[in-house]
Amino acid sequence: MAGASVNRVVSPGPLHCLKVILEKEGPRSLFRGLGPNLVGVAPSRAIYFAAYSNCKEKLNGVFDPDSTQVHMISAAMAGIYCTFLPRKE
């Protein structure tokens, strides 16, 4: 098969895709599905920040107040708490 040509497909860039979506479906289509996503994420973030704040208050008495150690350990503990929080599924 000497001299066989290969057709290469060039993928359009993200800006071209955005332009096509805006032309065909309108600007509202970019936000479709945002509401249900926020409903799912908001409680999880609220639990995370409550756990972070709670842990930070307790650790401020153990380490230097508002030190890097306090922030890092509080963030780790809040992440662990949210990861292993019992869920009913």
Side-chain angles (χ1 to χ4, degrees), residues 33-42:
L34 181 62
N37 191 15
L38 289 177
V39 167
V41 170

Side-chain angles (χ1 to χ4, degrees), residues 7-18 20:
N7 292 333
R8 295 187 189 263
V9 177
V10 177
S11 171
L15 292 177
H16 178 264
C17 292
L18 180 65
V20 170

Side-chain angles (χ1 to χ4, degrees), residues 13-27 29-30:
L15 292 177
H16 178 264
C17 292
L18 180 65
K19 179 183 170 191
V20 170
I21 290 171
L22 288 173
E23 287 173 355
K24 289 186 178 183
E25 300 178 34
S29 66
L30 296 175

Side-chain angles (χ1 to χ4, degrees), residues 1 5 8 11 17 20 23 34 44-45 48-50 57 60-61 63 68-69 74 80 82 85 88:
M1 295 207 147
S5 66
R8 295 187 189 263
S11 171
C17 292
V20 170
E23 287 173 355
L34 181 62
S44 172
R45 295 289 92 193
Y48 175 87
F49 283 113
E57 282 179 21
N60 272 334
F63 298 106
T68 302
Q69 294 168 327
S74 297
I80 291 168
C82 287
L85 185 69
K88 288 186 177 182

Side-chain angles (χ1 to χ4, degrees), residues 40-78:
V41 170
S44 172
R45 295 289 92 193
I47 292 168
Y48 175 87
F49 283 113
Y52 173 80
S53 178
N54 218 0
C55 190
K56 195 172 126 182
E57 282 179 21
K58 289 182 178 21
L59 289 175
N60 272 334
V62 177
F63 298 106
D64 292 334
D66 289 328
S67 66
T68 302
Q69 294 168 327
V70 170
H71 291 290
M72 296 295 286
I73 295 170
S74 297
M77 294 302 292

